[in-house]
Amino acid sequence: EKLEYRSIDFERVVVKNMDEDFFQPASVVNYPSGDYDFTRIVEYKHFPTNAQPHQVLEQEAQGQVQQSLRQTQKSRDTVLFYERSKDDGDPYYPVPNDRNKNLYAKYQEMAEKEEGITFVGRLANYKYFNMDQSIQNALELFDSHAPKVVVLQHLQNKTGGPEALLQLLLAFHAWMPSRTFYYQQSPGGEEMKSMWFDDYPKLAELTPLEPSTDLKAGDIFIIPEINNCPTDLVEKGVQVFIYQLGQNDAREKVRQGCRYISHNFYLSKQNGIDVPRSHVIIPYMNVRKTHFGPIDNSRRENIIILNHIDNDGAGWEQVNPGLDNYCLERSSCEVNRPQGLTAPQLNELYSRSKVIIATCLRGSERMPIEATLAGLIFITNDCDNSKDVRDFPLPREHIFNERNKLVDIVQNVLDNFEEEQAKLDNFRSMYKNFGHLTMIEETKEFYKAAAQV
């Protein structure tokens, strides 16, 4: 038994030698009165918006569209289509009487039993939709089926890790706002949110959600690596992902049923983690705190910044006291170990410095990246994250080891600063390219992959 639809018959009429440029005042004129045997006249001559005033767009009967733009300089001809309703042919408009409503309810019940198929749009709803209504219908259907995403936040700490989690949350929210939520473990979540509003005003639009009560099987809960794997949620069927932001061992949490995403390429294959590219979601530098403009070398001095020095490994032994002694002997450089500086104070230091040194990187450390974007030369050792050029495309001559001594590298970059600085153009270009939009695309790829599991 079929649902009834009203169809349309199109009659093509050519009118020649008119007294006026157009047959009617607008492209579409409706005739709802019973005095006419047609419901509408369409004159396609109105549609083109280019310089030729007499171009014609022809439409063949039964909806077959053919564009043939005929140019006639002084033509008074036009093409019209008369539309008439009929009860057979292509389905255009539903007939919403009681019989059809009851029959549609039976079809809807059958459709809901089909696995792996989603019915959406005019035919699926037995309603006439305009384009905006069709899009809204698809979005609402997505909302009713799509897994929720909740990202745990540590808003009380304005440091790199919490900021990366916040950027991740906002990337999901940008394209699925009704399915994205945050969870703040510490009390005073709303007050802590306001601390970030200047940098991330969209945060004000997000709402909290309690994972233990509001998440169901298939939903996604993302936590940082410093948190324990919530086995109660895993047993419930919630997809728990740990956002790896540092060098924490993952093996036990994987055994407990948690999975991983990584903030860079190196960590995606370390410490018991082995995730595909779709599970690498790269955070970005805060444009309000980081220099993204042209590099200015006019104020630079031979200042060397030490950041994230591995106190227990060979990195520290090679840096200290060797670097201090080197600067003392030359009396032409200064070693600076910044602590507790505000963002403006750090940017001021970057504008005057030439080199930043960090050893045994445990991830994409923000301070060396910020400094490099400001024009400093980044020197590190052949340890941990510096081994992956996808995260740190550094010249090999800027990486120290037993053969390539740190003081030799420092002397070379200070003596040939602008030449060595230019070798980091690709590095700066890559990190300038990372941003909210790239993170949105990566969250889409991750979500697609997670939904297929």
Side-chain angles (χ1 to χ4, degrees):
E1 192 175 4
K2 294 173 63 176
L3 289 165
E4 292 179 293
Y5 283 88
R6 179 169 69 87
S7 189
I8 300 176
D9 179 67
F10 297 91
E11 180 189 2
R12 182 176 182 271
V13 176
V14 178
V15 180
K16 292 180 175 293
N17 299 318
M18 297 185 301
D19 293 333
E20 304 292 336
D21 287 342
F22 297 99
F23 178 84
Q24 59 188 23
S27 59
V28 179
V29 177
N30 295 312
Y31 293 81
S33 170
D35 297 338
Y36 302 94
D37 69 341
F38 51 88
T39 59
R40 177 184 293 169
I41 298 176
V42 181
E43 184 177 15
Y44 289 90
K45 189 176 181 180
H46 285 273
F47 289 156
T49 57
N50 48 43
Q52 287 74 25
H54 299 294
Q55 291 184 339
V56 178
L57 178 65
E58 296 184 1
Q59 176 172 332
E60 299 299 329
Q62 302 299 325
Q64 297 298 315
V65 177
Q66 179 186 44
Q67 292 186 358
S68 65
L69 295 175
R70 295 199 314 249
Q71 298 184 8
T72 56
Q73 291 226 321
K74 295 182 179 180
S75 172
R76 295 294 184 181
D77 301 347
T78 191
V79 176
L80 309 175
F81 276 90
Y82 287 76
E83 297 183 11
R84 294 178 175 87
S85 293
K86 61 179 184 177
D87 58 7
D88 61 340
D90 293 333
Y92 282 90
Y93 304 101
V95 182
N97 55 31
D98 289 341
R99 178 256 181 198
N100 287 320
K101 288 179 181 178
N102 292 333
L103 180 57
Y104 169 71
K106 295 178 181 178
Y107 277 121
Q108 190 177 34
E109 185 178 352
M110 293 171 62
E112 290 172 353
K113 295 177 182 178
E114 294 290 332
E115 294 184 3
I117 300 177
T118 301
F119 297 90
V120 64
R122 289 181 178 181
L123 296 179
N125 291 272
Y126 196 58
K127 292 179 180 178
Y128 181 81
F129 285 155
N130 290 323
M131 184 59 71
D132 60 327
Q133 294 169 318
S134 297
I135 294 171
Q136 182 179 358
N137 177 237
L139 292 173
E140 289 174 348
L141 188 69
F142 174 86
D143 278 354
S144 66
H145 290 77
K148 297 186 186 77
V149 174
V150 178
V151 183
L152 189 148
Q153 298 295 303
H154 285 276
L155 298 172
Q156 70 275 19
N157 299 317
K158 293 200 73 172
T159 53
E163 188 165 21
L165 286 164
L166 179 52
Q167 291 174 352
L168 180 67
L169 172 69
L170 292 172
F172 278 111
H173 181 260
W175 63 276
M176 47 184 297
S178 63
R179 306 300 286 175
T180 304
F181 306 88
Y182 75 93
Y183 174 60
Q184 170 69 29
Q185 272 187 320
S186 304
E190 288 301 314
E191 181 180 346
M192 293 173 187
K193 271 175 63 177
S194 64
M195 293 166 44
W196 294 87
F197 284 172
D198 287 345
D199 294 334
Y200 302 98
K202 283 286 185 180
L203 180 58
E205 300 176 9
L206 280 99
T207 55
L209 185 141
E210 172 56 55
S212 61
T213 56
D214 297 332
L215 291 181
K216 64 181 190 310
D219 288 336
I220 296 171
F221 184 37
I222 300 175
I223 63 177
E225 84 280 2
I226 61 173
N227 284 71
N228 295 324
C229 177
T231 54
D232 56 329
L233 292 178
V234 173
E235 293 169 359
K236 190 178 175 181
V238 174
Q239 299 187 79
V240 180
F241 289 90
I242 297 173
Y243 196 21
Q244 185 78 336
L245 299 167
Q247 289 273 29
N248 298 63
D249 194 285
R251 294 172 181 82
E252 178 60 27
K253 293 175 183 177
V254 170
R255 282 193 292 270
Q256 293 173 335
C258 283
R259 289 177 280 167
Y260 274 79
I261 53 180
S262 177
H263 86 288
N264 71 9
F265 291 101
Y266 175 75
L267 291 177
S268 70
K269 304 294 181 183
Q270 302 294 321
N271 304 303
I273 302 172
D274 186 5
V275 299
R277 175 62 182 90
S278 60
H279 288 48
V280 178
I281 304 178
I282 302 171
Y284 50 93
M285 298 298 108
N286 185 330
V287 295
R288 287 174 55 88
K289 298 178 181 176
T290 308
H291 178 84
F292 276 82
I295 291 174
D296 180 7
N297 291 331
S298 62
R299 299 176 58 225
R300 295 202 190 276
E301 307 168 32
N302 287 342
I303 298 175
I304 301 166
I305 298 174
L306 298 189
N307 169 253
H308 193 261
I309 302 301
D310 178 18
N311 293 313
D312 299 324
W316 177 255
E317 293 174 2
Q318 294 180 61
V319 171
N320 184 53
L323 194 59
D324 284 319
N325 292 337
Y326 168 79
C327 285
L328 286 172
E329 290 171 4
R330 284 181 48 128
S331 300
S332 60
C333 60
E334 170 192 335
V335 177
N336 190 302
R337 299 172 177 82
Q339 289 185 339
L341 298 185
T342 64
Q345 289 170 333
L346 268 178
N347 284 324
E348 168 63 20
L349 178 61
Y350 293 155
S351 70
R352 295 187 296 108
S353 304
K354 288 186 176 180
V355 176
I356 185 165
I357 300 174
T359 67
C360 290
L361 301 166
R362 297 181 175 89
S364 296
E365 301 287 346
R366 285 179 174 254
M367 189 169 176
I369 296 170
E370 290 172 353
T372 307
L373 288 171
L376 279 73
I377 294 174
F378 179 20
I379 298 174
T380 186
N381 60 339
D382 194 12
C383 173
D384 291 343
N385 214 141
S386 64
K387 296 178 180 179
D388 199 318
V389 294
R390 293 172 298 175
D391 300 320
F392 291 100
L394 297 170
R396 301 315 294 173
E397 58 268 30
H398 293 178
I399 298 176
F400 66 89
N401 49 42
E402 290 184 1
R403 294 189 304 275
N404 196 18
K405 300 298 184 182
L406 173 62
V407 292
D408 295 334
I409 298 173
V410 170
Q411 180 171 338
N412 179 58
V413 299
L414 292 180
D415 292 343
N416 305 281
F417 179 71
E418 291 191 357
E419 178 183 342
E420 296 301 315
Q421 185 186 51
K423 293 179 181 179
L424 289 163
D425 285 348
N426 289 338
F427 182 106
R428 286 186 287 270
S429 177
M430 183 180 81
Y431 277 96
K432 284 181 180 180
N433 182 61
F434 293 142
H436 181 56
L437 295 180
T438 58
M439 207 171 190
I440 288 172
E441 293 306 312
E442 289 178 338
T443 57
K444 289 179 181 178
E445 290 301 313
F446 162 74
Y447 191 85
K448 186 192 305 181
Q452 293 173 353
V453 175

